Coordinates of all heavy atoms in Angstrom, one line a residue:
Chain B
I5 N 2.8 9.5 -138.8 CA 2.1 10.2 -139.9 C 0.6 10.3 -139.5 O 0.0 11.4 -139.6 CB 2.3 9.5 -141.2 CG1 3.8 9.5 -141.6 CG2 1.5 10.2 -142.3 CD1 4.1 8.7 -142.8
I6 N 0.1 9.1 -139.1 CA -1.4 9.1 -138.8 C -1.7 10.0 -137.7 O -2.7 10.7 -137.6 CB -1.8 7.7 -138.6 CG1 -1.7 6.9 -139.9 CG2 -3.2 7.6 -138.0 CD1 -2.1 5.4 -139.7
K7 N -0.8 10.0 -136.6 CA -1.1 10.8 -135.5 C -1.1 12.3 -135.8 O -2.0 13.0 -135.4 CB 0.0 10.5 -134.4 CG -0.3 9.3 -133.6 CD 0.6 9.1 -132.4 CE 0.2 7.9 -131.6 NZ 1.1 7.7 -130.5
N8 N -0.1 12.8 -136.6 CA -0.1 14.2 -136.9 C -1.2 14.6 -137.8 O -1.8 15.6 -137.6 CB 1.3 14.5 -137.6 CG 2.4 14.7 -136.5 OD1 2.1 15.3 -135.5 ND2 3.5 14.0 -136.8
I9 N -1.5 13.7 -138.8 CA -2.7 14.1 -139.7 C -4.0 14.1 -138.9 O -4.8 15.0 -139.1 CB -2.8 13.0 -140.8 CG1 -1.5 13.1 -141.8 CG2 -4.0 13.2 -141.7 CD1 -1.5 14.3 -142.6
T10 N -4.1 13.2 -138.0 CA -5.3 13.2 -137.2 C -5.4 14.5 -136.3 O -6.5 15.1 -136.2 CB -5.3 12.0 -136.3 OG1 -5.2 10.8 -137.0 CG2 -6.6 11.9 -135.5
R11 N -4.3 14.9 -135.7 CA -4.3 16.1 -135.0 C -4.8 17.3 -135.8 O -5.5 18.2 -135.3 CB -2.9 16.4 -134.4 CG -2.7 15.7 -133.1 CD -1.5 16.4 -132.4 NE -1.0 15.5 -131.4 CZ 0.0 14.7 -131.5 NH1 0.8 14.8 -132.6 NH2 0.4 13.9 -130.5
I12 N -4.4 17.3 -137.1 CA -4.8 18.5 -138.0 C -6.2 18.3 -138.4 O -7.0 19.3 -138.4 CB -3.8 18.5 -139.2 CG1 -2.4 18.8 -138.8 CG2 -4.3 19.6 -140.2 CD1 -1.4 18.5 -139.9
V13 N -6.7 17.1 -138.7 CA -8.0 16.9 -139.3 C -9.1 17.1 -138.3 O -10.2 17.7 -138.6 CB -8.1 15.6 -140.0 CG1 -9.5 15.2 -140.3 CG2 -7.3 15.6 -141.3
I14 N -8.9 16.6 -137.1 CA -10.1 16.5 -136.1 C -10.7 17.9 -135.9 O -12.0 18.0 -135.9 CB -9.6 15.8 -134.8 CG1 -9.7 14.3 -135.1 CG2 -10.6 16.1 -133.7 CD1 -9.3 13.5 -133.9
P15 N -10.0 19.0 -135.6 CA -10.7 20.3 -135.4 C -11.5 20.7 -136.5 O -12.7 21.1 -136.3 CB -9.5 21.3 -135.1 CG -8.4 20.5 -134.8 CD -8.5 19.1 -135.4
F16 N -11.0 20.5 -137.8 CA -11.8 20.9 -138.9 C -13.1 20.1 -139.0 O -14.2 20.6 -139.3 CB -11.0 20.8 -140.2 CG -9.9 21.8 -140.4 CD1 -8.6 21.5 -140.1 CD2 -10.3 23.1 -140.8 CE1 -7.6 22.4 -140.2 CE2 -9.3 24.0 -140.9 CZ -8.0 23.7 -140.6
A17 N -13.0 18.7 -138.8 CA -14.2 17.9 -138.9 C -15.2 18.3 -137.8 O -16.4 18.3 -138.1 CB -13.7 16.4 -138.7
Q18 N -14.7 18.6 -136.6 CA -15.7 18.9 -135.6 C -16.3 20.3 -135.8 O -17.5 20.4 -135.6 CB -15.0 18.9 -134.2 CG -14.7 17.5 -133.8 CD -14.1 17.4 -132.4 OE1 -13.7 18.4 -131.8 NE2 -14.2 16.2 -131.8
V19 N -15.6 21.3 -136.3 CA -16.2 22.6 -136.6 C -17.2 22.4 -137.8 O -18.3 23.0 -137.8 CB -15.1 23.6 -137.0 CG1 -15.7 24.8 -137.7 CG2 -14.3 24.0 -135.8
Y20 N -16.9 21.5 -138.8 CA -17.8 21.3 -139.8 C -19.1 20.6 -139.3 O -20.2 21.0 -139.8 CB -17.1 20.4 -140.9 CG -18.0 20.1 -142.1 CD1 -18.4 21.2 -142.9 CD2 -18.3 18.9 -142.5 CE1 -19.2 21.0 -144.0 CE2 -19.1 18.6 -143.6 CZ -19.5 19.7 -144.3 OH -20.3 19.5 -145.4
G21 N -18.9 19.7 -138.4 CA -20.1 19.1 -137.8 C -21.0 20.1 -137.1 O -22.2 20.1 -137.2
I22 N -20.3 21.0 -136.3 CA -21.1 22.0 -135.6 C -21.8 22.9 -136.6 O -23.0 23.3 -136.4 CB -20.2 22.8 -134.6 CG1 -19.7 21.9 -133.5 CG2 -20.9 23.9 -134.0 CD1 -18.6 22.5 -132.7
F23 N -21.1 23.2 -137.7 CA -21.7 24.1 -138.7 C -23.0 23.4 -139.3 O -24.0 24.0 -139.5 CB -20.7 24.3 -139.8 CG -21.3 25.0 -141.0 CD1 -21.5 26.3 -141.1 CD2 -21.5 24.2 -142.1 CE1 -22.0 26.9 -142.2 CE2 -22.0 24.8 -143.3 CZ -22.3 26.1 -143.3
I24 N -22.8 22.1 -139.6 CA -24.0 21.4 -140.2 C -25.2 21.4 -139.2 O -26.3 21.6 -139.6 CB -23.6 19.9 -140.5 CG1 -22.5 19.9 -141.6 CG2 -24.8 19.1 -140.9 CD1 -23.1 19.8 -143.0
I25 N -24.9 21.2 -137.9 CA -26.0 21.1 -136.9 C -26.7 22.5 -136.8 O -27.9 22.6 -136.9 CB -25.5 20.7 -135.6 CG1 -25.0 19.2 -135.6 CG2 -26.5 20.9 -134.5 CD1 -24.4 18.8 -134.3
L26 N -25.8 23.5 -136.7 CA -26.4 24.9 -136.5 C -27.2 25.4 -137.7 O -28.1 26.2 -137.6 CB -25.4 25.9 -136.0 CG -24.8 25.6 -134.6 CD1 -23.8 26.7 -134.3 CD2 -25.9 25.6 -133.6
N27 N -26.8 25.0 -138.9 CA -27.4 25.4 -140.1 C -28.5 24.4 -140.6 O -28.8 24.5 -141.8 CB -26.4 25.7 -141.2 CG -25.7 27.0 -141.1 OD1 -26.3 28.0 -141.4 ND2 -24.5 27.0 -140.5
G28 N -28.9 23.5 -139.8 CA -29.8 22.5 -140.2 C -31.1 23.0 -140.7 O -31.8 22.4 -141.6
H29 N -31.6 24.2 -140.3 CA -32.9 24.7 -140.7 C -32.7 25.7 -141.9 O -33.7 26.2 -142.4 CB -33.6 25.4 -139.6 CG -32.8 26.5 -138.9 ND1 -31.6 26.3 -138.3 CD2 -33.0 27.8 -138.9 CE1 -31.1 27.4 -137.9 NE2 -31.9 28.4 -138.2
I30 N -31.5 25.9 -142.3 CA -31.3 26.8 -143.5 C -30.9 26.1 -144.7 O -31.4 26.3 -145.8 CB -30.2 27.9 -143.1 CG1 -30.7 28.7 -141.9 CG2 -30.1 28.9 -144.3 CD1 -29.6 29.6 -141.4
S31 N -29.9 25.2 -144.5 CA -29.3 24.4 -145.6 C -29.4 23.0 -145.4 O -29.8 22.6 -144.3 CB -27.8 24.8 -145.8 OG -27.1 24.5 -144.6
P32 N -29.2 22.1 -146.4 CA -29.3 20.7 -146.2 C -28.3 20.2 -145.0 O -27.2 20.8 -144.9 CB -28.8 20.1 -147.5 CG -29.2 21.1 -148.5 CD -29.0 22.4 -147.8
G33 N -28.8 19.3 -144.3 CA -28.0 18.8 -143.1 C -28.9 18.6 -142.0 O -30.0 18.1 -142.1
G34 N -28.5 19.0 -140.8 CA -29.4 18.8 -139.6 C -28.7 18.0 -138.5 O -27.5 17.7 -138.6
G35 N -29.5 17.7 -137.5 CA -28.9 17.0 -136.3 C -28.3 15.7 -136.6 O -27.2 15.4 -136.1
F36 N -29.0 14.8 -137.4 CA -28.5 13.5 -137.6 C -27.1 13.5 -138.3 O -26.2 12.8 -137.9 CB -29.5 12.7 -138.3 CG -30.7 12.3 -137.5 CD1 -31.9 13.0 -137.7 CD2 -30.6 11.3 -136.6 CE1 -33.0 12.7 -136.9 CE2 -31.7 11.0 -135.8 CZ -32.9 11.7 -136.0

Side-chain angles (χ1 to χ4, degrees):
Chain B
I5 298 173
I6 292 178
K7 280 188 175 175
N8 280 315
I9 294 290
T10 306
R11 274 200 196 100
I12 297 168
V13 163
I14 279 183
F16 288 101
Q18 288 188 341
V19 167
Y20 184 59
I22 293 169
F23 169 80
I24 293 271
I25 290 176
L26 290 182
N27 280 282
H29 57 297
I30 303 171
S31 59
F36 288 101

